[in-house]
Amino acid sequence: MSDEKFTTDIITLTRHVLDEQRKHKEASGDLSILLNAIQLGCKFVATNVRKARLLNLIGLAGGAQNFSGEEQKKLDVISNDIFINALRSSGKVSVMVSEENDEAIFVEEGLRGKYCVVFDPLDGSSNIDAGVNVGTIFGIYRVLKDSVGSVSDVLRPGREMVVAGYCMYGSSANMVISLGDGVNGYTLDNSIGEFILTHPNIQIPPRGKIYSVNEGNAKYWDEACTEYFHSLKFPPEGKSPYSARYIGSMVADVHRTLLYGGIFSYPSDKKSKNGKLRMLYECFPMAFLVEQAGGRATTGTKRVLDVIPESIHSRCPIFLGSKDDVEDVEKIFHKYN
Ligand code: AHG
Ligand code: MN
Ligand code: MN
Ligand code: MN
């Protein structure tokens, strides 16, 4: 028998959230119920992603494009419906914003709650047909005082979020979440249907050796961006170049950056002046998590979490990861701005 202790005191995400809740006397338990709804959504999407090819769930949905002008995949639509139903029926949400809905969703009276959830139901969906890791990204705001739910509850800087997280669907389902007091990672044990704490207190290394960006856009980068990535590939004598890793699913690229360190970026360029990634349900939750893990996230000239979205699908450029690497980015951008 290996000396590995057989644990009979498993820490599930639900238990961890309840422990957190007990630290706040005024906590009503609403957030625990809301996070259970999100867990249900993630478990449901995880099984559908795993069976996608068997159930012919791959490929395009064949409907209209979403607000961002993207062809919706079948799994984009199914995942979106799963989350909307789970969040609405939790009775803890008043406003939802989804990548796949042009307008914000306002929950009807009787089912409204004190939270607003912004989410990307299926991130990296261009990779789904190739079986590459995809994920769900979410952020949670508390509704503003006396609000019954309006778009002003979510057109707020990311620093006002109370929870941020993602679930990555790969060889296992990995949930990474922050309630504003550090970052923890959980792995779904399919046999009991629970997310088990496997990565307590994730801390991103202060500097990494990996950069993650779509080099196919290099022709369109501005001078600051070009100079920064050049400095990683052609370092001064005696220093080794960084390695390049780019999966094309933000969840997977950020997950690796969180664990290994380094820099992930979707910069603005001549083709897309605000970059590609959407503030509310991609940049803000990932920036929140990276900061909570000791890293940083910048647009190049401004802290991502201080940016205020003009509309629910607004985009912003992002460089996130190890704090020393992000500081290098800002030093170069400072020269040009
Ligand atoms: P989504 O699948 O939710 O639309 O997001 C895709 C995003 C993000 O996951 C990834 O970082 C980025 O698109 C990749 O874009 P490129 O293929 O242009 O590099
Ligand atoms: Mn999309
Ligand atoms: Mn996405
Ligand atoms: Mn998506």
Side-chain angles (χ1 to χ4, degrees):
M1 177 88 159
S2 82
D3 56 359
E4 184 75 16
K5 195 164 140 322
F6 182 83
T7 172
T8 54
D9 185 19
I10 48 174
I11 301 184
T12 64
L13 171 54
T14 305
R15 174 174 154 184
H16 225 193
V17 172
L18 288 171
D19 291 349
E20 265 307 295
Q21 178 191 315
R22 270 191 279 277
K23 288 182 198 162
H24 307 282
K25 292 275 164 293
E26 76 290 353
S28 61
D30 285 359
L31 189 58
S32 308
I33 294 169
L34 172 53
L35 288 173
N36 268 321
I38 292 176
Q39 284 187 67
L40 171 73
C42 292
K43 291 178 202 174
F44 205 122
V45 172
T47 53
N48 283 312
V49 163
R50 189 142 301 128
K51 293 184 293 192
R53 190 162 286 283
L54 301 171
L55 301 177
N56 189 25
L57 287 182
I58 51 158
L60 294 177
Q65 292 181 338
N66 65 14
F67 187 86
S68 302
E70 297 166 347
E71 302 272 18
Q72 290 179 316
K73 300 275 187 167
K74 285 180 196 162
L75 268 178
D76 277 323
V77 175
I78 291 171
S79 310
N80 193 44
D81 292 344
I82 289 167
F83 276 103
I84 290 173
N85 293 329
L87 292 171
R88 168 179 280 117
S89 53
S90 75
K92 303 302 173 195
V93 180
S94 285
V95 187
M96 296 181 224
V97 168
S98 163
E99 178 202 353
E100 305 307 337
N101 289 70
D102 292 358
E103 307 298 332
I105 298 167
F106 302 106
V107 178
E108 62 275 23
E109 200 167 352
L111 267 178
R112 281 188 201 131
K114 62 184 179 195
Y115 293 105
C116 308
V117 183
V118 294
F119 62 99
D120 177 355
L122 198 69
D123 173 70
S125 51
S126 63
N127 278 321
I128 196 78
D129 297 4
V132 172
N133 284 18
V134 293
T136 296
I137 309 172
F138 58 92
I140 302 176
Y141 291 99
R142 222 177 251 106
V143 283
L144 293 167
K145 197 166 162 341
D146 306 330
S147 163
V148 290
S150 78
V151 79
S152 10
D153 285 302
V154 290
L155 294 184
R156 296 153 69 181
R159 66 172 183 267
E160 293 182 12
M161 286 187 171
V162 289
V163 177
Y166 60 80
C167 191
M168 181 172 73
Y169 311 112
S171 51
S172 59
N174 284 287
M175 174 88 80
V176 172
I177 189 166
S178 172
L179 307 181
D181 183 19
V183 182
N184 292 297
Y186 306 80
T187 303
L188 180 62
D189 179 336
N190 286 301
S191 60
I192 55 171
E194 289 284 359
F195 283 99
I196 311 293
L197 180 65
T198 47
H199 298 71
N201 189 26
I202 296 174
Q203 293 286 314
I204 189 169
R207 180 175 286 283
K209 300 188 181 67
I210 296 171
Y211 75 96
S212 184
V213 68
N214 183 341
E215 297 260 17
N217 295 326
K219 176 182 165 195
Y220 308 109
W221 290 345
D222 62 26
E223 288 167 295
C225 194
T226 303
E227 181 179 328
Y228 173 67
F229 287 110
H230 185 83
S231 74
L232 301 185
K233 294 190 267 189
F234 301 92
E237 262 323 293
K239 283 200 158 195
S240 340
Y242 276 40
S243 293
R245 294 284 184 278
Y246 191 71
I247 300 166
S249 295
M250 184 186 199
V251 172
D253 282 316
V254 171
H255 189 66
R256 184 205 50 249
T257 306
L258 256 186
L259 298 185
Y260 295 0
I263 194 108
F264 165 80
S265 175
Y266 209 105
S268 60
D269 62 32
K270 295 179 186 90
K271 261 192 326 174
S272 8
K273 71 175 179 39
N274 291 314
K276 173 182 182 182
L277 300 176
R278 286 61 53 111
M279 285 184 206
L280 276 181
Y281 43 77
E282 290 172 319
C283 297
F284 285 176
M286 294 311 206
F288 187 103
L289 287 165
V290 166
E291 286 199 3
Q292 284 288 322
R296 297 193 52 208
T298 181
T299 63
T301 55
K302 185 170 182 181
R303 181 190 180 215
V304 166
L305 290 182
D306 288 340
V307 180
I308 300 177
E310 280 168 24
S311 74
I312 61 172
H313 297 294
S314 292
R315 304 167 195 259
C316 78
I318 187 164
F319 294 79
L320 64 76
S322 298
K323 71 176 179 54
D324 295 351
D325 288 303
V326 173
E327 267 154 29
D328 292 347
V329 173
E330 290 180 321
K331 275 185 206 129
I332 291 179
F333 271 76
H334 191 66
K335 282 171 31 184
Y336 292 90
N337 292 283

